[in-house]
Short mmCIF file of all heavy atoms in Angstrom, two decimals:
data_model
loop_
_atom_site.label_atom_id
_atom_site.label_comp_id
_atom_site.label_asym_id
_atom_site.label_seq_id
_atom_site.Cartn_x
_atom_site.Cartn_y
_atom_site.Cartn_z
N GLY A 35 8.12 62.27 153.33
CA GLY A 35 7.56 61.81 154.45
C GLY A 35 8.53 61.69 155.63
O GLY A 35 9.77 62.01 155.61
N SER A 36 8.05 61.20 156.73
CA SER A 36 8.89 60.95 157.95
C SER A 36 8.92 59.50 158.57
O SER A 36 8.00 58.74 158.19
CB SER A 36 8.35 61.94 159.13
OG SER A 36 8.38 63.33 158.66
N VAL A 67 25.41 58.22 159.40
CA VAL A 67 24.31 59.12 159.40
C VAL A 67 24.37 60.12 160.49
O VAL A 67 24.32 61.31 160.28
CB VAL A 67 22.95 58.41 159.37
CG1 VAL A 67 21.79 59.34 159.32
CG2 VAL A 67 22.86 57.42 158.26
N ALA A 68 24.43 59.58 161.76
CA ALA A 68 24.49 60.41 162.90
C ALA A 68 24.92 59.63 164.08
O ALA A 68 24.84 58.43 164.04
CB ALA A 68 23.08 61.00 163.22
N ILE A 76 26.97 65.55 169.36
CA ILE A 76 26.26 64.94 168.24
C ILE A 76 27.03 65.34 167.02
O ILE A 76 27.47 66.32 166.80
CB ILE A 76 24.84 65.51 168.28
CG1 ILE A 76 24.02 64.97 169.46
CG2 ILE A 76 24.15 65.16 166.92
CD1 ILE A 76 22.65 65.58 169.54
N LYS A 77 26.96 64.33 166.06
CA LYS A 77 27.59 64.50 164.75
C LYS A 77 26.64 63.97 163.72
O LYS A 77 26.05 62.95 163.82
CB LYS A 77 28.90 63.69 164.70
CG LYS A 77 29.69 63.82 163.21
CD LYS A 77 30.73 62.81 163.16
CE LYS A 77 31.70 62.98 164.24
NZ LYS A 77 32.85 62.01 163.98
N TYR A 78 26.42 64.83 162.75
CA TYR A 78 25.53 64.51 161.53
C TYR A 78 26.40 64.38 160.31
O TYR A 78 27.26 65.26 160.09
CB TYR A 78 24.38 65.38 161.37
CG TYR A 78 23.34 65.47 162.45
CD1 TYR A 78 23.23 66.45 163.39
CD2 TYR A 78 22.45 64.43 162.59
CE1 TYR A 78 22.32 66.46 164.40
CE2 TYR A 78 21.44 64.39 163.58
CZ TYR A 78 21.40 65.40 164.42
OH TYR A 78 20.60 65.41 165.49
N ALA A 79 26.06 63.55 159.37
CA ALA A 79 26.64 63.57 157.98
C ALA A 79 26.03 64.84 157.31
O ALA A 79 24.98 65.39 157.64
CB ALA A 79 26.17 62.33 157.16
N ASP A 80 26.84 65.31 156.22
CA ASP A 80 26.54 66.48 155.52
C ASP A 80 25.07 66.33 154.89
O ASP A 80 24.32 67.29 154.80
CB ASP A 80 27.55 66.88 154.56
CG ASP A 80 28.72 67.48 155.20
OD1 ASP A 80 28.74 67.91 156.50
OD2 ASP A 80 29.84 67.42 154.53
N PHE A 81 24.79 65.11 154.39
CA PHE A 81 23.60 65.02 153.63
C PHE A 81 22.35 65.06 154.48
O PHE A 81 21.24 65.13 153.98
CB PHE A 81 23.74 63.69 152.78
CG PHE A 81 23.68 62.41 153.77
CD1 PHE A 81 22.55 61.91 154.47
CD2 PHE A 81 24.88 61.70 153.87
CE1 PHE A 81 22.49 60.74 155.25
CE2 PHE A 81 24.92 60.62 154.68
CZ PHE A 81 23.84 60.10 155.29
N VAL A 82 22.57 64.96 155.86
CA VAL A 82 21.39 65.16 156.65
C VAL A 82 20.68 66.52 156.49
O VAL A 82 19.46 66.62 156.42
CB VAL A 82 21.65 64.84 158.19
CG1 VAL A 82 20.49 65.27 159.13
CG2 VAL A 82 22.10 63.35 158.36
N ASN A 83 21.52 67.48 156.59
CA ASN A 83 20.97 68.87 156.18
C ASN A 83 19.88 69.34 156.98
O ASN A 83 18.84 69.92 156.40
CB ASN A 83 20.74 69.00 154.68
CG ASN A 83 20.64 70.36 154.18
OD1 ASN A 83 21.40 71.32 154.70
ND2 ASN A 83 19.85 70.57 153.07
N GLY A 84 19.93 69.07 158.23
CA GLY A 84 18.92 69.50 159.19
C GLY A 84 17.60 68.64 159.22
O GLY A 84 16.65 68.95 159.91
N ARG A 85 17.51 67.55 158.43
CA ARG A 85 16.36 66.77 158.28
C ARG A 85 16.15 65.71 159.37
O ARG A 85 15.02 65.29 159.63
CB ARG A 85 16.20 66.03 157.00
CG ARG A 85 16.36 67.04 155.68
CD ARG A 85 16.35 66.30 154.32
NE ARG A 85 17.47 65.47 154.24
CZ ARG A 85 17.47 64.20 153.91
NH1 ARG A 85 16.33 63.60 153.47
NH2 ARG A 85 18.71 63.48 153.82
N PHE A 86 17.15 65.35 160.04
CA PHE A 86 17.19 64.17 160.92
C PHE A 86 17.57 64.71 162.44
O PHE A 86 18.39 65.59 162.44
CB PHE A 86 18.06 63.02 160.58
CG PHE A 86 17.87 62.49 159.22
CD1 PHE A 86 18.85 61.56 158.64
CD2 PHE A 86 16.74 62.68 158.46
CE1 PHE A 86 18.68 61.05 157.38
CE2 PHE A 86 16.60 62.14 157.25
CZ PHE A 86 17.49 61.40 156.64
N THR A 87 17.09 64.03 163.33
CA THR A 87 17.49 64.24 164.69
C THR A 87 17.71 62.99 165.47
O THR A 87 17.02 62.12 165.41
CB THR A 87 16.35 65.07 165.49
OG1 THR A 87 16.04 66.29 164.77
CG2 THR A 87 16.86 65.35 166.93
N ILE A 88 19.03 62.98 166.11
CA ILE A 88 19.27 61.85 166.88
C ILE A 88 19.15 62.21 168.33
O ILE A 88 19.52 63.38 168.77
CB ILE A 88 20.78 61.40 166.55
CG1 ILE A 88 21.09 59.96 167.24
CG2 ILE A 88 21.77 62.43 166.98
CD1 ILE A 88 22.37 59.32 166.73
N LEU A 99 16.40 57.86 165.97
CA LEU A 99 16.66 58.73 164.87
C LEU A 99 15.40 59.04 164.24
O LEU A 99 14.69 58.21 163.72
CB LEU A 99 17.57 57.98 163.87
CG LEU A 99 18.06 58.82 162.63
CD1 LEU A 99 19.00 60.01 163.06
CD2 LEU A 99 18.58 58.04 161.57
N GLN A 100 15.03 60.44 164.40
CA GLN A 100 13.82 60.91 163.68
C GLN A 100 14.17 61.49 162.37
O GLN A 100 14.89 62.41 162.26
CB GLN A 100 13.12 61.86 164.61
CG GLN A 100 11.73 62.31 164.10
CD GLN A 100 10.81 61.12 163.89
OE1 GLN A 100 10.54 60.44 164.72
NE2 GLN A 100 10.16 61.19 162.79
N MET A 101 13.55 61.02 161.23
CA MET A 101 13.92 61.38 159.94
C MET A 101 12.66 62.02 159.35
O MET A 101 11.54 61.54 159.46
CB MET A 101 14.39 60.27 159.03
CG MET A 101 15.60 59.50 159.66
SD MET A 101 16.28 58.16 158.50
CE MET A 101 14.78 56.96 158.67
N SER A 102 12.91 63.23 158.76
CA SER A 102 11.70 63.85 158.02
C SER A 102 12.40 64.48 156.66
O SER A 102 13.44 64.29 156.35
CB SER A 102 11.28 65.01 158.79
OG SER A 102 12.36 65.97 158.98
N ARG A 103 11.32 64.78 155.80
CA ARG A 103 11.70 65.15 154.46
C ARG A 103 12.58 64.15 153.68
O ARG A 103 13.54 64.52 153.05
CB ARG A 103 12.41 66.61 154.48
CG ARG A 103 11.33 67.67 154.86
CD ARG A 103 12.09 69.02 154.92
NE ARG A 103 12.79 69.13 156.16
CZ ARG A 103 14.08 69.86 156.33
NH1 ARG A 103 14.59 70.26 155.24
NH2 ARG A 103 14.53 69.80 157.42
N LEU A 104 12.23 62.88 153.79
CA LEU A 104 12.93 61.87 153.21
C LEU A 104 12.77 61.98 151.67
O LEU A 104 11.76 62.36 151.10
CB LEU A 104 12.39 60.53 153.71
CG LEU A 104 12.80 60.19 155.18
CD1 LEU A 104 11.89 59.10 155.68
CD2 LEU A 104 14.25 59.76 155.16
N ASN A 105 13.80 61.53 151.01
CA ASN A 105 13.82 61.50 149.59
C ASN A 105 14.29 60.07 149.09
O ASN A 105 14.83 59.36 149.91
CB ASN A 105 14.73 62.59 148.88
CG ASN A 105 16.21 62.57 149.41
OD1 ASN A 105 16.83 61.62 149.17
ND2 ASN A 105 16.61 63.70 150.05
N ASP A 108 17.63 58.50 150.35
CA ASP A 108 17.73 57.95 151.57
C ASP A 108 17.50 56.48 151.75
O ASP A 108 17.55 55.99 152.80
CB ASP A 108 16.77 58.82 152.55
CG ASP A 108 17.12 60.26 152.67
OD1 ASP A 108 18.30 60.49 152.84
OD2 ASP A 108 16.17 61.07 152.62
#
Side-chain angles (χ1 to χ4, degrees):
S36 299
V67 179
I76 293 174
K77 180 192 299 182
Y78 293 106
D80 287 342
F81 63 75
V82 169
N83 196 29
R85 300 178 298 136
F86 303 168
T87 300
I88 190 169
L99 183 70
Q100 183 61 48
M101 304 184 290
S102 62
R103 290 177 282 141
L104 289 161
N105 57 63
D108 296 314

